[in-house]
Amino acid sequence: MLAVLAAASGAGNLAYGNPMPVGSEGFWLIAEMRSTNLVVMLLVAFCQGIATVSFQTAANNRIITPSIMGFESLYRLVQTGAVFLLGAAGVVAVQGGLQFLLQVLLMVVFAALLYGWLLSGRFANLQIMLLIGIILGGGLGAVATFMQRLLSPSEFDVLTARLLGDVSNADAGYLPLAVPLVALAGGCLWLDARRLDVLALGREAAVNLGLDHRRETMKVLLLVSVLMAVSTALVGPLTFLGFLVAMLSYQLADTHDHRYVFPVAWLTGFVVLSGAYFVLRHLFYAEGSVGIIIEVVGGGFFLVHILRKGRL
């Protein structure tokens, strides 16, 4: 059923509002132009869904998401710093294949240093790592906000368009670089589904079953950082998408087996993204800025979930 809904939402985005007669050359030309955004949504849904489910498994917590580790704050700082130093031309300066790879590399190195420092010591503690990630993210965000206050209104307006989660931010030229990275990181997590099932049992149970908990956790977190870095560099911040997708996926899959949760998370993420894109494009005529709906709906679900559970 979920696959049918995903196919229907994808077809709707390709065909609805197409002014050319169905089946004509012009119809397929417009559909082909729209297909780039569809591929981007498939890629981002895969990244956010797989990364969040894996991250929650490694952290043994269904509330937190990879966004708290500071990826989005680092993205905001890079974008804001470029405009702060170069003016409106800074937005162009951070676009391009090489710049895309550099942004991804910067986020992954940031995560690797954080994980290596906090998980390899004698008193390694995942909870402390998460708290430090939140603090670092808040600090980076504060620096970005300070620089934004020093921008002129025109520069701030140009920057704002880059700081919203927007499908139109993605350049088709990034896809040949993004797809292999996502396929490698996501494929490794998918192949390790059995190990993730053991990891989800908790540290003591995993160690008793012969799993190197620390090494497996670091591997999962590094692969998650690649997926989140690609997603954020591609379309911008989507803070609550991962949480929304993971929460719905566990309910729809009705199992903790990652072999089934992963595909459900991918399809759910695509349905949510394409649905938000369709509503904005055809009802509010605000094409691309899916982050607006994702933040409102995802944030609302987050609050309801917290209030129902009564704890973190």
Side-chain angles (χ1 to χ4, degrees), residues 271-286:
V271 170
V272 171
L273 267 179
S274 58
Y277 182 82
F278 184 89
V279 169
L280 282 168
R281 178 185 176 89
H282 297 291
L283 295 183
F284 297 104
Y285 305 102

Side-chain angles (χ1 to χ4, degrees), residues 74-75 78-79 93-110 174 177 181 229 233:
L74 185 59
Y75 172 84
V78 170
Q79 297 290 328
V94 293
Q95 294 179 353
L98 179 60
Q99 292 87 334
F100 172 78
L101 285 178
L102 287 175
Q103 288 186 70
V104 171
L105 180 62
L106 181 62
M107 295 180 200
V108 173
V109 169
F110 170 78
Y174 298 165
L177 302 172
L181 288 173

Side-chain angles (χ1 to χ4, degrees), residues 156-170:
F156 182 77
D157 186 55
V158 171
L159 174 64
T160 301
R162 297 291 304 174
L163 297 183
L164 290 174
D166 193 337
V167 173
S168 61
N169 280 343

